[in-house]
Amino acid sequence: MTDHSGLEAELRGCVRGEVGFGTTARALVTMDASNYRRVPAGVVAPRDADDVAAVLGVCRARGVPVVARGGGTSIAGQATGTGVVLDFTRHMNGLLELDPETRTAVVQPGLVLDRLQHAAAPHGLRFGPDPSTHSRCTLGGMIGNDSCGSHSVAWGTTADNVRELSVLTARGELLRPGPHWAGAPEGLRELAEGEPARLRTGFPDLPRRISGYALDALLPERGADVARSFCGSEGTLGILTEAVVRLVEAPRARALAVLGYGDEGAAAEAAAGLLPHGPLTVEGMAADLVPSDTGLPRGGAWLFVETGGSSQAQARARAEAIVRAADVVDSLVVTDPAAQRTLWRIREDASGTATRMPDGSEAWPGWEDCAVPPARLGAYLRDFRALLTSHGLRGTPYGHFGDGCIHVRIDFDLLTGPGIGRFRRFSEELADLVVAHGGSLSGEHGDGQARAELLPRMYGAETVRLFERAKALWDPDDLLNPGMLVRPAPLDANLRFSVLPREPVEVAFGYPADGGDFRAAVRRCVGVAKCRTATAAGPAVMCPSFRATGEEEHSTRGRARLLHEMLAGELVTDGWRSTEVRDALDLCLSCKGCRTDCPVGVDMATYKAEFLHHHYAGRRRPAAHHSMGRLPEWLRWIARTRTAPLLNALAALPPLATAAKRLGGIAPERRLPRLAPRTFTGWWRRRKPVPRSGDLVVLWPDTFTEHLSPSVGRAAVRVLEAAGLGVALPPTLLPGRGGIARGGRPVSAAALLTVRRARVCCGLTYLSTGQLDRARTVLRRTLDLMEPVLEAGVPVVVLEPGCAAALRTDLPELLHDDPRAPRLASAVRTFAEVLEQHAPHWTPPAVDRPVAGQTHCHQHAVLGDAPDRRLRAAAGLTGELSGGCCGLAGDFGFQKGHFEVSRACAEDQLLPSIRQASEETVILADGFSCRTQLEQLAGTRGRHLAEVLAEALDDDTRRGEKGK
């Protein structure tokens, strides 16, 4: 491995920003969202243009390449490099000026697009281009790739919306490219004026031509626009430090016409015919990429056609006119903004969902964004499908049909020699096909390493040599992003999968969605970086730790990159013992948000548990793994010895509490939760049975309900019985006669008896701390105890969302060899689910109050909250719960060193929603962690939905007795 210590020392001596040459800093930027991987020498986060100039000076003297990187969402490999990577997202990320009068903004390269949009919106303005990665892509990256997005039929590409740039050349010269030859490097004008015929005839005329250098923008009839020519150069000509961009007027109202067609070919044929109606978007999607429950109109493919207007009526009228003009199978016009956002999320997530074929097999970029003239799109798609078939490949096209630009992920085999050979042959033939249709190899994401090798097929050898001459004028030392666009690396070199182990690694979980292969699970992260958003959209959770710290290593993508490098063994050399991976995973809250919010379903909570299991195998674990990871054992011991009151009294003494927290690895800022003087099952044993008229359910006595908040269990029993359900506790179901049939077997009410004291446990605390051997033991014992319940087919009600999620997903994935595990998982019901399914005619009491609080992160990610919403609505509980994560997340927020991040997560959405709530608002928090966080950080008592309904039932009863 090359020693870069001298380079690092020199950079540290002249750069004010961060200089990172450590394993973690380098591992985080080995890949972008492409198929490629290159290991950099180091990473620099410059504070300003002077820092950039200093880096260029040092690297020029040492002959070290420099690569500019924005959000790292490039799909062609151009945001990776072997030299020094410049990360602009940390410091050079400002909006320097926004002028509503001139409709311009001055931005730095690391500014995320959504921040510009939010700042422009109050003025009725916006930046026209909007890639699906708008919540994390940067303006610098958009300029480097000449990004477009869904609204390009209305507002063009990024190049159409740039006024002036500030650029540092590799030799340190500051240029300000603009129109009329402004900011041109020496010799560029002479080069362009010497090739007028080639510039006028050698460049395809189509709305999405991104491939190569835009040298035709230097023609006099096009304003000799050096800034426009610079756009799409992928960091190979100069380093952008500032830009003046144009803003456009945003329509006051919008409508979305969703047009259903028989297949994507029919949709493609129709797209160009809609352009004369002046739509804002014409986006295409096929059924393979759309979930079945989205409410789209009938069809096998759809066009999403957005219209704008000065009023809602005008926008709707324009959308309805397009529907009348279209020959469709079915259609839908949506004017509600929330419903439009829901539909657009389907389209925006396609870059991730397309990475899995309908059968679950992997698909990859590489031919992600070819573009042809819109009128030829239907014919091109037919030929494209035929070419796929001839190579035995599959892919589902989608994208910007109105601009003739197609996105597609293809099930290339990039793991074996023959598969990579087919990848090359297909790429060469597809390049020829695109050119035959008058198209561009890239219509949005740039050429990078994926397509630059094939540019001679599109432009011819002479024009490519012209590109090389232009590159030499801007960057004579070939310092900037070498291997891209000119003199490119082969399209089948540097593939990121080639470094992974040839054989599967031994793991504890089953990874059913990845064929049991941990390598495939890690490959899921393709780098679209939806986890790198500054705010969680709507009910989304992912990724709370990134929003708290802003550090890539604390994002789902960052952690996935480190796991990839751990398997590769080149940068991270100590495998499961890696401290770099451990430290990155340390701030993962195991919220499981990524399992749902990540378009490709990365499940970092499971990967973390897997890693901790191996990392601490045969080694001393942190104190918190013993104090909180084995919490069920401690609490059962306390219950048996009846020492809860004594321990509560001792915990109230500051010196003893401090000592206990230090010993247990607990954050000193935390207060120890009070233990219940009597457990839930202790109360249950002493209560009088209530006759039932309906179905029988088993109520799961989870650790938190049993020992810390038995009031939740008591309330749930009150509500379930009021709904006519019979309630029993596990573990034993004795044979009996009569009763109601369950699973084909008769079961009587007397059959469910607690003969032995329940020790069922979901294993959540063991799972979250990676004590998977112990978790297996606990879960197998649980399955033994629950066998009679499983045989009877009785639903199992779990009140704590984290425990329900563990039983639904972790149990069958960890005990993948035990057929009882999926049976118990399928028996699990949430409180709202069991009422909806087994007491459908019961009417809850009228609470008639607004609510605030937070949907539990595991509820959002694993269980779903639609039944809860319906139950709340039936009870007159109005309003929405916030998204995000409370930040306590089981043991996470109690662990020493996690308090500040835990509090920051709570401040993201939960605490602001509580502060804004009125006095009569009901604060809902179904999870014990959420309630504890509210109590300790806001001094507010949150309640489980069962408690709220039980209280309303009791109020009704008291009112009824008074009436008598």
Side-chain angles (χ1 to χ4, degrees):
M1 187 176 292
T2 306
D3 181 12
H4 295 295
S5 56
L7 172 62
E8 178 184 7
E10 193 171 353
L11 287 171
R12 289 188 185 280
C14 65
V15 171
R16 293 186 301 113
E18 289 82 3
V19 176
F21 276 63
T23 298
T24 297
R26 298 165 65 204
L28 293 173
V29 297
T30 55
M31 293 173 277
D32 48 17
S34 71
N35 297 327
Y36 300 100
R37 170 185 177 272
R38 295 191 292 176
V39 179
V43 183
V44 175
R47 288 193 175 273
D48 51 27
D50 290 341
D51 269 2
V52 175
V55 171
L56 289 170
V58 170
C59 291
R60 183 171 62 251
R62 291 176 170 266
V64 174
V66 177
V67 177
R69 181 180 172 103
T73 56
S74 296
I75 296 182
Q78 62 267 55
T80 67
T82 58
V84 170
V85 173
L86 294 175
D87 174 10
F88 289 104
T89 62
R90 191 170 302 182
H91 301 300
M92 295 183 68
N93 57 12
L95 172 58
L96 303 182
E97 183 183 335
L98 194 153
D99 187 343
E101 296 298 320
T102 61
R103 293 185 180 179
T104 59
V106 182
V107 302
Q108 291 183 307
L111 178 69
V112 170
L113 175 59
D114 268 3
R115 286 183 56 200
L116 174 59
Q117 305 289 39
H118 293 156
H123 305 286
L125 302 173
R126 57 165 289 147
F127 188 65
D130 57 346
S132 61
T133 55
H134 53 83
S135 62
R136 59 270 192 198
C137 70
T138 66
L139 270 296
M142 292 178 67
I143 291 169
N145 291 343
D146 193 8
S147 300
C148 311
S150 59
H151 289 88
S152 60
V153 294
W155 296 312
T157 73
T158 297
D160 296 315
N161 293 274
V162 165
R163 291 278 185 87
E164 182 182 278
L165 306 175
S166 294
V167 172
L168 278 169
T169 70
R171 292 191 172 178
E173 184 182 4
L174 177 62
L175 301 177
R176 298 194 184 279
H180 311 302
W181 293 111
E186 185 178 351
L188 184 64
R189 182 169 185 169
E190 290 75 11
L191 181 146
E193 291 179 344
E195 297 279 354
R198 186 171 301 282
L199 297 188
R200 288 191 174 99
T201 62
F203 291 78
D205 184 19
L206 67 163
R208 287 294 194 97
R209 176 183 36 90
I210 307 300
S211 283
Y213 292 133
L215 297 181
D216 57 327
L218 301 175
L219 287 166
E221 61 267 31
R222 298 192 179 182
D225 194 335
V226 182
R228 187 183 182 92
S229 177
F230 185 90
C231 291
S233 58
E234 302 180 16
T236 61
L237 302 182
I239 303 296
L240 178 74
T241 60
E242 201 172 288
V244 181
V245 298
R246 179 173 70 95
L247 304 176
V248 299
E249 184 177 355
R252 292 185 178 181
R254 301 184 192 212
L256 180 62
V258 184
L259 311 178
Y261 295 87
D263 55 35
E264 94 251 352
E269 294 280 3
L274 302 178
L275 297 178
H277 294 272
L280 300 177
T281 69
V282 183
E283 297 289 292
M285 290 278 289
D288 285 351
L289 299 175
V290 178
S292 58
D293 57 349
T294 55
L296 291 176
R298 290 177 296 113
W302 298 269
L303 291 180
F304 287 26
V305 185
E306 187 179 73
T307 58
S310 58
S311 67
Q312 193 65 258
Q314 187 181 58
R316 172 179 272 279
R318 289 174 175 171
E320 290 173 344
I322 286 175
V323 170
R324 288 193 297 271
D327 181 15
V328 296
V329 173
D330 196 7
S331 64
L332 174 70
V333 173
V334 182
T335 56
D336 176 63
Q340 290 183 52
R341 285 194 296 271
T342 298
L343 291 171
W344 276 123
R345 274 197 291 271
I346 299 169
R347 166 62 186 85
E348 291 175 355
D349 284 351
S351 60
T353 54
T355 63
R356 283 293 184 275
M357 304 301 295
D359 63 2
S361 56
E362 296 169 309
W364 304 108
W367 285 95
E368 177 69 14
D369 64 320
C370 299
V372 298
R376 296 188 63 93
L377 183 60
Y380 165 71
L381 271 180
R382 285 193 295 272
D383 291 345
F384 172 75
R385 283 289 195 185
L387 184 63
L388 280 175
T389 301
S390 70
H391 284 271
L393 296 169
R394 297 174 298 162
T396 302
Y398 67 99
H400 314 293
F401 281 24
D403 270 337
C405 180
I406 292 299
H407 297 323
V408 63
R409 301 290 173 105
I410 299 172
D411 64 339
F412 296 121
D413 167 16
L414 299 178
L415 303 175
T416 68
I420 294 170
R422 181 168 59 170
F423 168 62
R424 168 170 283 280
R425 291 190 299 275
F426 175 85
S427 299
E428 293 169 344
E429 291 180 33
L430 181 55
D432 291 338
L433 177 64
V434 171
V435 172
H437 281 276
S440 173
L441 303 186
S442 171
E444 179 164 25
H445 297 144
D447 300 305
Q449 186 176 341
R451 289 174 286 271
E453 180 190 348
L454 303 172
L455 285 176
R457 294 172 182 255
M458 174 181 171
Y459 283 111
E462 288 301 317
T463 300
V464 169
R465 276 195 284 273
L466 192 65
F467 291 161
E468 293 174 356
R469 290 167 57 197
K471 161 77 167 173
L473 293 173
W474 284 92
D475 178 23
D477 306 307
D478 199 20
L479 192 76
L480 303 178
N481 214 3
M484 301 295 143
L485 284 179
V486 300
R487 296 180 292 279
L491 61 87
D492 51 1
N494 305 319
L495 292 172
R496 66 187 179 105
F497 317 104
S498 62
V499 296
L500 294 177
R502 294 293 180 189
E503 299 297 325
V505 295
E506 188 174 340
V507 286
F509 283 98
Y511 302 101
D514 298 293
D517 190 344
F518 186 67
R519 299 170 303 170
V522 170
R523 286 199 302 267
R524 275 184 176 271
C525 179
V526 292
V528 295
K530 194 177 177 184
C531 51
R532 273 184 54 97
T533 55
T535 56
V541 172
M542 180 184 72
C543 176
S545 52
F546 173 78
R547 289 196 298 278
T549 69
E551 298 288 344
E552 172 82 14
E553 67 184 285
H554 300 143
S555 69
T556 305
R557 180 179 73 172
R559 294 177 179 120
R561 291 291 176 260
L562 282 161
L563 287 167
H564 188 285
E565 295 303 329
M566 180 192 82
L567 294 178
E570 180 183 352
L571 267 176
V572 179
T573 57
D574 44 359
W576 296 111
R577 300 299 198 197
S578 166
T579 56
E580 294 87 2
V581 179
R582 181 201 64 198
D583 292 346
L585 289 170
D586 180 57
L587 290 188
C588 170
L589 286 83
S590 297
C591 67
K592 288 189 177 286
C594 48
R595 187 179 178 111
T596 293
D597 296 339
C598 172
V600 294
V602 169
D603 185 358
M604 195 53 62
T606 298
Y607 305 170
K608 176 181 180 179
E610 184 78 62
F611 176 82
L612 293 177
H613 167 69
H614 295 279
H615 185 76
Y616 288 110
R619 304 168 80 191
R620 182 180 177 182
R621 284 179 170 270
H625 287 198
H626 298 288
S627 65
M628 290 178 282
R630 303 184 72 169
L631 187 65
E633 299 169 39
W634 299 118
L635 293 179
R636 281 199 301 269
W637 178 84
I638 291 167
R640 283 198 303 270
T641 58
R642 300 181 180 179
T643 53
L646 173 62
L647 291 173
N648 285 336
L650 294 176
L653 301 174
L656 292 180
T658 299
K661 287 185 281 188
R662 185 182 298 117
L663 185 65
I666 296 171
E669 300 91 341
R670 289 290 177 187
R671 298 194 305 277
L672 297 175
R674 287 183 60 80
L675 307 173
R678 184 169 65 162
T679 64
F680 167 62
T681 52
W683 167 83
W684 172 267
R685 287 196 298 271
R686 289 167 174 77
R687 70 186 294 271
K688 292 181 181 180
V690 175
R692 69 181 174 90
S693 57
D695 291 351
L696 192 62
V697 300
V698 168
L699 184 60
W700 184 273
D702 66 84
T703 294
F704 305 98
T705 301
E706 171 75 352
H707 300 282
L708 296 166
S709 56
S711 62
V712 172
R714 296 195 296 268
V717 172
R718 170 80 172 94
V719 175
L720 294 171
E721 290 182 339
L725 301 176
V727 182
L729 300 192
T732 305
L733 180 65
L734 297 179
R737 295 183 179 182
I740 47 179
R742 286 289 176 270
R745 300 180 61 178
V747 179
S748 69
L752 264 164
L753 301 173
T754 308
V755 177
R756 294 187 301 165
R757 191 46 35 223
R759 286 173 177 260
V760 293
C761 179
C762 69
L764 177 63
T765 61
Y766 307 103
L767 290 161
S768 63
T769 52
Q771 300 181 72
L772 300 187
D773 290 336
R774 181 63 182 160
R776 278 200 198 93
T777 300
V778 167
L779 289 170
R780 288 200 193 280
R781 183 186 66 204
T782 292
L783 290 173
D784 292 340
L785 294 170
M786 292 295 290
E787 259 195 79
V789 177
L790 298 179
E791 288 295 318
V794 180
V796 179
V797 187
V798 185
L799 301 173
E800 177 64 37
C803 297
L807 291 169
R808 279 258 182 100
T809 58
D810 297 310
L811 166 64
E813 291 175 15
L814 185 62
L815 298 188
H816 46 88
D817 57 344
D818 193 324
R820 299 172 302 173
R823 290 172 60 198
L824 177 53
S826 64
V828 168
R829 301 289 185 275
T830 67
F831 175 70
E833 281 175 340
V834 82
L835 286 170
E836 185 170 82
Q837 295 170 15
H838 293 271
H841 303 298
W842 177 69
T843 302
V847 183
D848 296 331
R849 292 169 65 185
V851 297
Q854 191 167 55
T855 301
H856 193 284
C857 50
H858 287 184
Q859 180 107 34
H860 166 80
V862 175
L863 307 169
D865 68 340
D868 295 75
R869 289 172 177 271
R870 291 190 285 268
L871 179 57
R872 293 200 303 266
L877 291 165
T878 59
E880 293 292 326
L881 302 185
S882 71
C885 177
C886 75
L888 196 62
D891 64 308
F892 175 85
F894 268 92
Q895 285 192 33
K896 184 178 180 181
H898 290 177
F899 179 76
E900 291 302 328
V901 169
S902 175
R903 180 165 59 184
C905 292
E907 288 287 359
D908 182 42
Q909 292 194 59
L910 176 60
L911 296 184
S913 73
I914 299 303
R915 294 188 191 110
Q916 295 164 12
S918 59
E919 286 188 9
E920 70 272 16
T921 299
V922 175
I923 306 302
L924 285 179
D926 280 2
F928 176 76
S929 292
C930 306
R931 296 193 296 273
T932 303
Q933 188 79 310
L934 283 170
E935 178 189 351
Q936 296 203 356
L937 297 186
T940 299
R941 179 174 176 252
R943 292 187 291 170
H944 194 287
L945 181 56
E947 294 180 286
V948 176
L949 296 181
E951 181 182 298
L953 285 170
D954 292 339
D955 288 345
D956 286 352
T957 300
R958 283 191 290 270
R959 280 193 292 270
E961 290 173 350
K962 255 186 190 177
K964 293 178 185 177

